[in-house]
Amino acid sequence: MPQMTGRIVDGAMSGFGNPGLGLEIIYSFVIIICSLMIYFGTKELYQLSSHKGINYFRRAFLFFAIAYFFRNFIKFILFYFNIARIIEISPKTAGILLGHTTLFIFVYFSSMAIFYLLYSVMWKRWNNSNKVYLFHILAVIISFISILFPSPFIHLTINLGLLVLVIIIVYISRKNQKKNKSKLYFIYLLLMIFWILNVLDILVPEFLRTYQIIIYLASIGIFLLILYKVLKKVGN
Amino acid sequence: MKRGRLEIIKDILKIIQDNHNSIKITPLIRKSNISSNRFKEYYLEIISKQFIKEIRGKSGEKLISITEKGTKFLEKYSTIIGFLEEFDL
């Protein structure tokens, strides 16, 4: 067996022996299941109504499920290649292409999930004009930056910038909304904050290591709360 | 207050259902309380979604009848509205 293969296998074995990986898998599994239950639970309502808001809402959770799948895949690669983080992979290692492609997909889908959720509540107030393509462009740009500039400071700045952007959009929209102010904005805001912490956990693992378990539990709590609200309304 | 798209579709289907599930097009337009142009728009949408179908009456006249899918929409209408309100969609 070549030496390289042996090192990778050792890395993989130590990864599977790490209790952190088991926690990661359970965490991602719960989020993926919650997201898919929301997606498929609202399928009939969308098929009957063809409502754009329901469509964007469903897509947000489908994209969350895909993003979390790739998030888990990235963590697996980190363990498998026995490395500290994807953005530090040497060009000589076998994982570079796989790691960067997966990271690109993860950042793209996670950004789009947040954008779809934002768009699901904003599309009516934006005079029904289709702005989704702008979000796709923005998500692709963010994904490229994540790969091309492997700096924790840049990742932190991008994600905080996104958070500020979402808060401003929601604040302006709510200010103009005279009645029926939904309490759900608060849950969405929490979801966005914890999602950013999840993204940072992938891109800059050292940054949040101490609070990882709290972030995981809080994220699961938010997804379960949204799932509960969906199932209560959908009735199945 | 101006009715939304889903409310107008619900009203059209309800008129058909309340009329023993068969009604001629002219009274349907009148009872729908919308302009004929807007009615045409909604009519094409609900027929393409197979909520309604065109049937022939005893004397060969064209009648509009609600389908199983249309009935399902009526059953789920309040759930759809409740969901939209809950999530502010």
Side-chain angles (χ1 to χ4, degrees):
Chain A
M1 183 185 282
Q3 201 182 352
M4 180 68 180
T5 314
R7 194 183 65 77
I8 291 172
V9 170
D10 286 348
M13 293 309 286
S14 65
F16 285 121
N18 191 321
L21 185 61
L23 184 72
E24 288 287 339
I25 291 170
I26 294 167
Y27 166 63
S28 295
F29 184 74
V30 173
I31 299 286
I32 290 169
I33 291 294
C34 283
S35 299
L36 291 179
M37 279 178 80
I38 292 170
Y39 180 74
F40 288 107
T42 51
K43 187 181 173 185
E44 192 186 27
L45 292 194
Y46 175 63
Q47 282 177 339
L48 287 171
S49 66
S50 302
H51 193 277
K52 282 183 187 174
I54 299 178
N55 185 25
Y56 299 136
F57 181 83
R58 295 181 73 226
R59 280 193 201 183
F61 286 93
L62 178 67
F63 277 48
F64 271 127
I66 297 170
Y68 265 95
F69 172 78
F70 280 102
R71 181 188 188 280
N72 219 28
F73 197 62
I74 290 172
K75 288 276 182 178
F76 172 76
I77 290 170
L78 292 176
F79 280 117
Y80 192 81
F81 290 102
N82 206 14
I83 47 175
R85 50 182 159 146
I86 290 265
I87 52 178
E88 280 182 353
I89 295 175
S90 157
K92 289 175 185 171
T93 61
I96 182 152
L97 192 63
L98 193 61
H100 281 192
T101 308
T102 313
L103 183 65
F104 181 89
I105 295 169
F106 165 70
V107 176
Y108 170 76
F109 277 98
S110 61
S111 306
M112 277 313 296
I114 292 291
F115 291 150
Y116 268 128
L117 203 57
L118 179 72
Y119 201 57
S120 71
V121 292
M122 294 297 161
W123 70 278
K124 278 184 288 185
R125 283 147 218 161
W126 288 339
N127 300 323
N128 287 352
S129 59
N130 196 346
K131 289 189 173 70
V132 173
Y133 72 95
L134 291 175
F135 289 132
H136 281 289
I137 293 168
L138 190 58
V140 169
I141 292 169
I142 293 168
S143 308
F144 270 119
I145 292 172
S146 299
I147 292 169
L148 298 175
F149 303 100
S151 153
F153 176 74
I154 288 177
H155 293 309
L156 204 60
T157 310
I158 289 172
N159 283 292
L160 284 175
L162 269 179
L163 180 64
V164 170
L165 179 78
V166 171
I167 289 171
I168 291 170
I169 292 171
V170 172
Y171 177 75
I172 292 170
S173 176
R174 270 176 70 85
K175 211 177 159 188
N176 297 333
Q177 204 180 350
K178 284 171 186 162
K179 56 169 191 171
N180 197 22
K181 290 190 178 182
S182 171
K183 288 172 190 165
L184 211 78
Y185 283 103
F186 181 65
I187 298 171
Y188 283 169
L189 205 59
L190 279 178
L191 184 70
M192 169 92 194
I193 292 166
F194 282 103
W195 179 253
I196 286 171
L197 292 175
N198 275 284
V199 174
L200 290 175
D201 180 43
I202 285 286
L203 297 171
V204 200
E206 314 82 43
F207 186 69
L208 295 161
R209 185 143 289 163
T210 323
Y211 308 103
Q212 205 176 39
I213 189 81
I214 299 167
I215 294 166
Y216 288 178
L217 288 174
S219 301
I220 287 175
I222 292 167
F223 272 84
L224 284 174
L225 181 65
I226 296 173
L227 175 65
Y228 169 73
K229 279 178 169 287
V230 167
L231 294 182
K232 204 172 92 178
K233 281 288 160 191
V234 171
N236 56 32
Chain B
M1 194 179 163
K2 197 183 165 190
R3 289 181 293 171
R5 184 181 70 91
L6 292 175
E7 195 179 356
I8 292 172
I9 292 174
K10 184 260 294 178
D11 288 346
I12 294 172
L13 295 177
K14 200 84 180 60
I15 292 164
I16 303 168
Q17 199 180 50
D18 291 347
N19 216 72
H20 307 292
N21 200 18
S22 63
I23 187 169
K24 284 184 185 174
I25 195 93
T26 315
L28 180 60
I29 296 170
R30 185 168 37 82
K31 288 180 179 179
S32 300
N33 206 20
I34 46 173
S35 69
S36 52
N37 278 343
R38 281 190 76 198
F39 179 84
K40 197 179 170 187
E41 221 175 276
Y42 287 106
Y43 185 78
L44 290 174
E45 184 183 342
I46 57 179
I47 207 154
S48 70
K49 291 182 84 176
Q50 295 174 329
F51 284 176
I52 55 168
K53 61 183 176 189
E54 290 172 354
I55 54 167
R56 290 284 163 191
K58 282 175 188 170
S59 49
E61 76 278 24
K62 194 168 92 175
L63 296 170
I64 314 300
S65 172
I66 192 166
T67 63
E68 207 177 304
K69 207 175 166 191
T71 312
K72 187 88 183 168
F73 176 86
L74 285 178
E75 283 169 11
K76 290 274 177 183
Y77 176 76
S78 56
T79 307
I80 294 168
I81 296 302
F83 186 80
L84 295 176
E85 282 171 0
E86 177 76 24
F87 292 92
D88 199 21
L89 301 175

